[in-house]
Amino acid sequence: MAFENEESFAASSVEEKYESAVRARANMDRDFLCPICLHTMKDAFLTRCGHNFCYSCIMTHLKNRNNCPCCAQYLTIDLLMPNFLLTKLMNELSASMMLKNASPAEQLRLALEQDADLPPKELDSLLLLLNERKQKLDREEAEINTEIIFDFLHRLQFRKLEAMKEVQSDLQFLKDDIATVERRLRCLLASNKSHSKRVCEESPLSDLDIHTEYGSTSTGGAVSMWRSGQSGAYTPPGEEKLNRAERIRIRNLAYTSVSTDIENDPSVDSPGEYAGAHKIAKKRRVLAQFEELQGAYFLRRRQIAFKECQKQQSQESVSKKGAYKDWDTYDDGLDDFQSILTTYTRYSQLRVVAELHHDDPFQPSSNIVSSIDFDGDDQLFATAGVTRRIKIFNFATVIDDVVDVHCPVTEIPTRSKLSCLSWNKLKKPLVASSDYEGIIAVWDVNRSQSVVEYEEHEKRAWSVDFSCIDPSMMVSGSDDGKVKVWCINQDASAFSIDMKANICCVKYNPGSSNHIAIGSSDHHIHYYDLRNLRTPLFVFKGHRKAVSYVKFMSSNELVSASTDSTLRLWDVQTDTSVQTLGGHTNEKNFVGLTVNSDYIACGSETSEVFVYHKATSKPSFSHKFRSSYAEDIGDDISFVSAVCWKSESPTMLAANSQGTIKVLELAP
């Protein structure tokens, strides 16, 4: 027991000595501090009262006061004297602290710089150690670099193998699809041949040889391969020869380039041969966007193949390698892409069908058309803007009447500038509007008066939209950050969503009365289920600036426009970005957005209308607005401000900031 007490006493005494040493060192360090600047003294000077200060500090103090900063005794410059010993001690302390905190290499360098007395043997030993250390470091560095390049090559090999697998998979897709298309083409040729034969048999001219199905290409098919002798007697070939001829023709069709067609196809020089020129025009359109179409083909092909693979795995019916493929049910995205290719090559230009003006050349800023919308029957369309008027036009009259100025069927004055219109597709007379004062109004076009007005928004309302399912419901968005859902049978909003950001656009899903898309200044699109307003179903992120428009191509496909000069196509079921489209200019203005099942159209600040196919990222067509008085007002202020497709047709309306409205049509 006594032994344990002695041990504990010895341990406590050691700890006390250590703590006292630390305190003494701290006190010593404080003694080297200047009482004025509280830093280590430089050029220490001693006063008559025994206090030390930095020379610069005490001199500055004595210029203002004649006393000691520590004890307040009388003190002048004459009573100061340099403290050489303290200065020397501080220099040595600084050197030791520097040496203590320095790295080993720095300590060695300082020792050599201070001419440390090192014998030659120790220098040789140091050099040997340094050389060994350097060689070791070089080996380690070489090993690291070798491992890095080894890892790089392995990763590169892996990626190239993956790319090769992808290319092999793509080539297999192409091989399968080429085989499928060849089978279909043979069926079409056989069907055309049997149809031609039947027509010939039924025709009173059946005695003449008009079988030109496999005619010579050099004569445009005018001379039959089946002629025999001078009399022109009909001698049908055998089935083997017929199949061989069909295969040769199909191969020629597949590998004939556009340039070859242009040079050798007689249909180009013959105005009557429409089919040949039409085929070449379609090929030109394909080649013009070949890279884009190639990407669309492989994207759909891989997606559907992946889904089919998952489906087969879930059904535990994966076919073995080399198993027979049922060509009659074969469909891995080829039909989908053929539909895209058909719609893409259907048109070759965006032409002007009609044009109407209701602008004022002396006040161009008051002519901006902010919104255009068709009624449910596409017979009437409404325009609105800063003119404080809703104008209703008859579409057929605009197309048929060739006049300079078209008068509206109905004109409704409003209290404020209008930002958006939405025609009720189920109740034809009703049109909703949003204006710069935040008022949401519903108008009866037949009576030219308002049905109901809502003034709950506190700032400018940018967007309003009627539901395509429930004609009594509509939604609006405003700069006050609020999205409000209205029932036109009620005097107030049904409910409100606080978004904490300026709302630029709102849109109902055409397949649901419960789902809405909201574009705002936070660069995002918020997709809500109105039955649960706590959190959005999805938040689509990708735009770099405010989202100015949102439109639905279908119940699953959403298109957004932003002032970052891009459009984006989203899948609202999987929360994924499908396509990014760009080519127009949109940095500060609302330039319009409209969609149909295949095409997307938007305006541009270059006073152009751009039309995109949803499968390609670059514009397919464009049209430039040219003002008759652009030189007077400056063409740089003109921009396309509103666009609207006529439902499921190649016709659209487009308006610019000078009040010009054009009827544009996609034409072959």
Side-chain angles (χ1 to χ4, degrees), residues 20 39 63 72 77 85 113-114 194 257 313 328 341 353 359 378 399 431 482 517 532 560 567 585:
S20 62
H39 293 292
K63 288 180 181 179
I77 295 176
L85 179 59
E113 287 179 352
Q114 294 174 2
S194 61
S257 65
Q313 290 178 353
D328 295 331
L341 202 60
V353 177
D359 50 356
D378 290 332
I399 296 295
V431 176
K482 301 288 195 309
N532 181 16
S560 61
L567 308 177
T585 301

Side-chain angles (χ1 to χ4, degrees), residues 428-481:
K428 184 173 181 177
L430 300 184
V431 176
S433 68
S434 59
D435 67 22
Y436 282 33
E437 294 180 1
I439 298 174
I440 306 299
V442 179
W443 308 87
D444 188 324
V445 174
N446 294 337
R447 295 184 297 171
S448 299
Q449 65 182 22
S450 65
V451 177
V452 63
E453 291 186 357
Y454 301 103
E455 301 184 12
E456 293 186 20
H457 283 300
E458 300 173 0
K459 295 182 180 180
R460 177 185 308 184
W462 282 114
S463 183
V464 64
D465 185 52
F466 267 115
S467 170
C468 296
I469 304 298
D470 187 346
S472 65
M473 300 301 295
M474 63 180 182
V475 62
S476 64
S478 166
D479 272 342
D480 60 8

Side-chain angles (χ1 to χ4, degrees), residues 291-357:
E291 295 297 328
E292 296 289 328
L293 293 171
Q294 172 184 285
Y297 166 77
F298 284 122
L299 176 64
R300 280 155 180 77
R301 198 64 173 80
R302 292 165 187 163
Q303 286 178 343
I304 296 179
F306 178 73
K307 291 179 181 178
E308 288 295 324
C309 181
Q310 285 186 324
K311 182 179 179 181
Q312 289 178 356
Q313 290 178 353
S314 64
Q315 296 176 350
E316 296 182 354
S317 59
V318 180
S319 60
K320 296 182 180 180
K321 185 177 180 180
Y324 172 74
K325 184 186 289 286
D326 187 0
W327 293 102
D328 295 331
T329 60
Y330 176 75
D331 180 14
D332 281 338
L334 180 60
D335 290 338
D336 183 26
F337 178 73
Q338 185 171 7
S339 175
I340 292 173
L341 202 60
T342 301
T343 57
Y344 180 80
T345 58
R346 183 177 298 158
Y347 309 111
S348 63
Q349 60 178 323
L350 183 63
R351 68 181 183 184
V352 179
V353 177
E355 185 172 340
L356 62 94
H357 302 271

Side-chain angles (χ1 to χ4, degrees), residues 287-546:
L287 290 181
Q289 297 256 13
F290 190 83
E291 295 297 328
E292 296 289 328
L293 293 171
Q294 172 184 285
Y297 166 77
F298 284 122
L299 176 64
R300 280 155 180 77
R301 198 64 173 80
R302 292 165 187 163
Q303 286 178 343
I304 296 179
F306 178 73
K307 291 179 181 178
E308 288 295 324
C309 181
Q310 285 186 324
K311 182 179 179 181
Q312 289 178 356
Q313 290 178 353
S314 64
Q315 296 176 350
E316 296 182 354
S317 59
V318 180
S319 60
K320 296 182 180 180
K321 185 177 180 180
Y324 172 74
K325 184 186 289 286
D326 187 0
W327 293 102
D328 295 331
T329 60
Y330 176 75
D331 180 14
D332 281 338
L334 180 60
D335 290 338
D336 183 26
F337 178 73
Q338 185 171 7
S339 175
I340 292 173
L341 202 60
T342 301
T343 57
Y344 180 80
T345 58
R346 183 177 298 158
Y347 309 111
S348 63
Q349 60 178 323
L350 183 63
R351 68 181 183 184
V352 179
V353 177
E355 185 172 340
L356 62 94
H357 302 271
H358 56 96
D359 50 356
D360 184 358
F362 301 102
Q363 293 182 348
S365 62
S366 65
N367 297 323
I368 299 176
V369 178
S370 303
S371 182
I372 305 176
D373 198 18
F374 277 98
D375 68 350
D377 300 330
D378 290 332
Q379 297 178 353
L380 305 175
F381 66 90
T383 66
V386 299
T387 58
R388 294 182 172 87
R389 290 180 179 276
I390 299 175
K391 298 182 180 182
I392 311 298
F393 294 89
N394 186 294
F395 182 76
T397 303
V398 171
I399 296 295
D400 297 336
D401 294 348
V402 183
V403 295
D404 293 334
V405 178
H406 291 82
C407 296
V409 177
T410 305
E411 194 166 346
I412 306 173
T414 62
R415 288 189 292 174
S416 179
K417 299 175 182 178
L418 299 179
S419 57
C420 183
L421 289 178
S422 178
W423 209 308
N424 195 316
K425 305 302 181 184
L426 301 177
K427 292 185 178 180
K428 184 173 181 177
L430 300 184
V431 176
S433 68
S434 59
D435 67 22
Y436 282 33
E437 294 180 1
I439 298 174
I440 306 299
V442 179
W443 308 87
D444 188 324
V445 174
N446 294 337
R447 295 184 297 171
S448 299
Q449 65 182 22
S450 65
V451 177
V452 63
E453 291 186 357
Y454 301 103
E455 301 184 12
E456 293 186 20
H457 283 300
E458 300 173 0
K459 295 182 180 180
R460 177 185 308 184
W462 282 114
S463 183
V464 64
D465 185 52
F466 267 115
S467 170
C468 296
I469 304 298
D470 187 346
S472 65
M473 300 301 295
M474 63 180 182
V475 62
S476 64
S478 166
D479 272 342
D480 60 8
K482 301 288 195 309
V483 175
K484 292 185 178 290
V485 179
W486 314 88
C487 177
I488 60 175
N489 301 323
Q490 299 178 3
D491 296 332
S493 61
F495 39 84
S496 177
I497 306 173
D498 189 356
M499 298 294 296
K500 309 298 183 183
N502 295 32
I503 306 302
C504 304
C505 50
V506 291
K507 195 69 179 176
Y508 266 104
N509 187 317
S512 170
S513 61
N514 297 317
H515 296 87
I516 60 172
I518 304 166
S520 67
S521 60
D522 65 358
H523 310 174
H524 305 327
I525 302 102
H526 304 261
Y527 188 58
Y528 271 91
D529 186 337
L530 297 178
R531 295 166 295 187
N532 181 16
L533 299 178
R534 293 182 180 180
T535 56
L537 290 176
F538 302 118
V539 178
F540 302 106
K541 300 179 180 180
H543 285 297
R544 293 176 285 106
K545 290 186 179 180

Side-chain angles (χ1 to χ4, degrees), residues 2-16:
F3 180 73
E4 291 179 358
N5 291 336
E6 289 178 2
E7 283 188 348
S8 61
F9 176 76
S12 61
S13 62
V14 171
E15 292 177 359
E16 290 176 359

